[in-house]
Amino acid sequence: MQNIKLDLSGVESFVEKKEIEAMNWKIERSFNFLKKRDGLGNEFLGWLNLPKDYDRDEFYKIQETAKKIRGNSNILIVIGIGGSYLGAKAAIEFLGDEFKNYCSDFNVFFAGNNLSPNYIKSLLKAIDEKDVSLNVISKSGTTLEPAISFRIFREHLIDKYGIEEARKRIYVTTDKSHGSLKRYSIEQGYETFVIPDDIGGRYSVLTSVGLLPICICGYKIDEIMLGAECGMENYLLNDNNLSKNISCKYAAIRNILFNKNKNIEIIVNYDPELKFFTEWWKQLFGESEGKNHKGIFPASLNFSTDLHSMGQYIQDGSRNIFETVLCVENSKNDIAIKEEENNLDGLNFLNGKTLDFVNKKVFKGTRFAHIDGGVPNLAISLKKLDEFTFGELIYFFEVACAVSAYSLDVNPFDQPGVEMYKKNMLDLLEKF
Ligand code: PA5
């Protein structure tokens, strides 16, 4: 089974056969680093076998905890940043519905990904009358933004429920044994979940980091893991013919384009549910590849919205861009366009057509225009926005990213540049 397809017809006029052949040996070498676990950063390959080898006891604990939180809370606050935030947020939007937080009896909000007092104040106000549980996620336990937010929301819980009840509403996802947050949680008696040592933040969505908040929000995490397992079969284990492995093909094409000075990749969606998926993708590729003064700059755009702000640039600006479109084959919902008697807007020719039909025509029209304008176009189509496809898509991109980064000769699994800002920030704060 494969719920994801890759359409490369929109790059044919930009890439020559000999360039593909020349790239193939590099991709094969990179793929082998992954399979044989002997490439750079190989101490962080815990995500590779995760779909088959995940900790069943932890998984069961996630499901039980989710039931408990749904039983005693109507708000979940997830505190985390970067890899400890984007995967869960991406999944909840991918699987959910844009306005759920406004009209449902259980809502999830995210904190710890900024230091804006306005944001935190208004969140505190929004949850004032509600029953709240907290899931704090930090592998290191020392990241400033989530640590400060944790202080603030912990105080809110203690004021609201008293110290004992607050203790029962705080769930901490952190490293197994040696981090400061782990020590603190043991001291305070908080329930803890594990981020395995061999899985880095941006590769951690299929651990408790992503699965706990996703499960609390009511989505089927067993289906996500099945989808990821299918991804593992398709993109890692089925290696007889690498030219059929679309994850490797995607990695190959982006590297060929990069070598032709297409050094910006825009990932584009036509469905707002995918907005945060593309944020997750940006972190995955940006942090994995952007080092040693190399790497494709990953950017994301939301269409049609951004066609009316960035469309001009894509069509006609600097020609260093290529475009990857995420398209959804089967929309969850559809709406038929109806005829109107006076036809003042002249749209009666669309009578009986649906919004999904029109959306797909916008995609096709835009695609051809961008190709004509010199922007190579890759299309990744997803069968539908369900748990299974989400799991498969995560694995698809994780393999593609590792292979692509190895092809650039960089370590896909470290992030030395992120540490620089953290160090400077702490130095500056300690001055006062
Ligand atoms: O991918 C990464 O490693 C980073 O984005 C981290 O997830 C992010 O910096 C948060 O770190 P931590 O989970 O230690 O708070």
Side-chain angles (χ1 to χ4, degrees):
M1 175 149 49
Q2 190 162 315
N3 281 358
I4 297 166
K5 288 188 211 136
L6 176 67
D7 175 357
L8 295 178
S9 57
V11 292
E12 272 162 12
S13 54
F14 299 91
V15 170
E16 290 176 45
K17 209 167 159 223
K18 61 174 193 246
E19 290 171 319
I20 299 182
E21 283 160 10
M23 182 56 69
N24 278 348
W25 76 265
K26 242 188 178 181
I27 294 294
E28 200 172 325
R29 185 195 63 147
S30 304
F31 185 75
N32 282 332
F33 282 149
L34 210 53
K35 279 214 80 160
K36 295 187 179 145
R37 297 173 172 262
D38 57 3
L40 288 169
N42 59 356
E43 67 276 30
F44 289 108
L45 287 177
W47 58 274
L48 261 187
N49 285 347
L50 200 59
K52 284 187 192 291
D53 290 348
Y54 61 90
D55 180 337
R56 266 49 180 192
D57 292 339
E58 176 99 347
F59 197 78
Y60 177 72
K61 191 168 124 185
I62 289 173
Q63 290 169 317
E64 291 305 301
T65 304
K67 279 188 219 151
K68 189 169 149 201
I69 293 177
R70 293 290 294 220
N72 70 6
S73 308
N74 34 39
I75 299 282
L76 171 71
I77 307 281
V78 180
I79 296 179
I81 195 166
S84 293
Y85 150 61
L86 287 165
K89 175 82 173 156
I92 291 163
E93 302 238 330
F94 186 105
L95 300 169
D97 127 13
E98 175 108 19
F99 302 103
K100 207 171 169 188
N101 264 348
Y102 300 102
C103 48
S104 109
D105 53 3
F106 186 86
N107 296 325
V108 57
F109 296 113
F110 290 84
N113 55 69
N114 66 65
L115 288 165
S116 158
N118 295 336
Y119 182 91
I120 294 180
K121 254 290 192 245
S122 62
L123 183 49
L124 285 167
K125 201 165 142 207
I127 63 173
D128 194 32
E129 310 269 289
K130 309 278 185 182
D131 274 319
V132 180
S133 289
L134 283 191
N135 180 203
V136 186
I137 309 171
S138 178
K139 189 171 183 189
S140 62
T142 55
T143 309
L144 188 73
E145 292 85 345
I148 289 181
S149 291
F150 184 28
R151 279 194 175 205
I152 296 168
F153 286 96
R154 187 170 62 222
E155 189 187 357
H156 173 88
L157 254 62
I158 292 171
D159 288 350
K160 190 182 258 176
Y161 298 109
I163 200 151
E164 279 313 314
E165 177 60 18
R167 204 192 302 284
K168 295 184 197 144
R169 290 173 174 271
I170 294 174
Y171 300 87
V172 176
T173 308
T174 189
D175 90 344
K176 193 172 180 175
S177 49
H178 36 259
S180 56
L181 190 53
K182 177 69 185 181
R183 278 196 304 278
Y184 182 72
S185 303
I186 294 172
E187 219 178 272
Q188 297 295 319
Y190 301 146
E191 181 89 74
T192 58
F193 293 82
V194 176
I195 310 177
D197 286 347
D198 57 358
I199 301 183
R202 58 191 175 275
Y203 284 83
S204 69
V205 53
L206 301 177
T207 70
S208 298
V209 170
L211 297 182
L212 180 60
I214 297 169
C215 188
I216 297 169
C217 290
Y219 301 111
K220 295 180 221 128
I221 56 172
D222 45 353
E223 282 289 312
I224 291 181
M225 294 313 284
L226 285 174
E229 190 177 347
C230 169
M232 187 175 167
E233 292 290 344
N234 292 336
Y235 313 123
L236 183 76
L237 302 179
N238 187 4
D239 59 354
N240 298 334
N241 186 352
L242 264 198
S243 67
K244 292 223 165 80
N245 180 329
I246 59 169
S247 183
C248 287
K249 266 180 146 175
Y250 170 61
I253 294 297
R254 50 198 307 285
N255 276 280
I256 294 169
L257 292 170
F258 180 60
N259 291 342
K260 297 170 85 101
N261 295 326
K262 300 285 186 192
N263 55 11
I264 298 175
E265 178 177 12
I266 49 172
I267 193 159
V268 162
N269 69 76
Y270 285 81
D271 297 86
E273 294 91 335
L274 290 171
K275 188 171 164 184
F276 264 89
F277 190 88
T278 63
E279 293 297 318
W280 172 84
W281 172 92
K282 251 168 35 185
Q283 188 205 357
L284 181 71
F285 280 87
E287 258 184 26
S288 302
E289 291 192 319
K291 47 198 75 155
N292 305 345
H293 298 180
K294 293 193 235 181
I296 296 169
F297 183 82
S300 62
L301 294 174
N302 307 299
F303 286 174
S304 290
T305 316
D306 293 330
L307 282 175
H308 295 259
S309 56
M310 296 301 289
Q312 168 62 36
Y313 190 100
I314 298 163
Q315 191 63 47
D316 210 18
S318 302
R319 298 297 71 190
N320 57 348
I321 299 172
F322 67 98
E323 179 176 15
T324 299
V325 184
L326 290 179
C327 6
V328 182
E329 277 173 34
N330 302 296
S331 177
K332 273 185 246 180
N333 294 296
D334 211 353
I335 298 176
I337 299 165
K338 293 183 196 153
E339 197 172 36
E340 278 184 4
E341 212 178 287
N342 51 24
N343 194 26
L344 283 178
D345 54 12
L347 290 178
N348 274 356
F349 72 97
L350 291 174
N351 179 29
K353 300 279 187 291
T354 69
L355 281 190
D356 187 46
F357 173 86
V358 178
N359 203 18
K360 290 197 162 82
K361 292 287 180 236
V362 175
F363 156 54
K364 275 199 180 137
T366 308
R367 182 170 202 232
F368 292 136
H370 290 174
I371 293 168
D372 285 347
V375 179
N377 187 293
L378 295 85
I380 297 174
S381 62
L382 322 177
K383 204 164 185 184
K384 51 183 167 175
L385 297 183
D386 63 1
E387 285 92 340
F388 191 97
T389 310
F390 179 82
E392 186 182 340
L393 190 60
I394 290 288
Y395 204 86
F396 167 87
F397 277 125
E398 286 179 344
V399 170
C401 181
V403 169
S404 186
Y406 278 143
S407 303
L408 276 172
D409 293 318
V410 298
N411 180 347
F413 307 113
D414 66 356
Q415 54 284 325
V418 182
E419 302 312 316
M420 284 301 292
Y421 114 87
K422 287 187 183 171
K423 186 185 169 305
N424 281 354
M425 179 176 65
L426 289 175
D427 286 352
L428 285 169
L429 286 169
E430 271 164 19
K431 276 191 185 158
F432 296 102

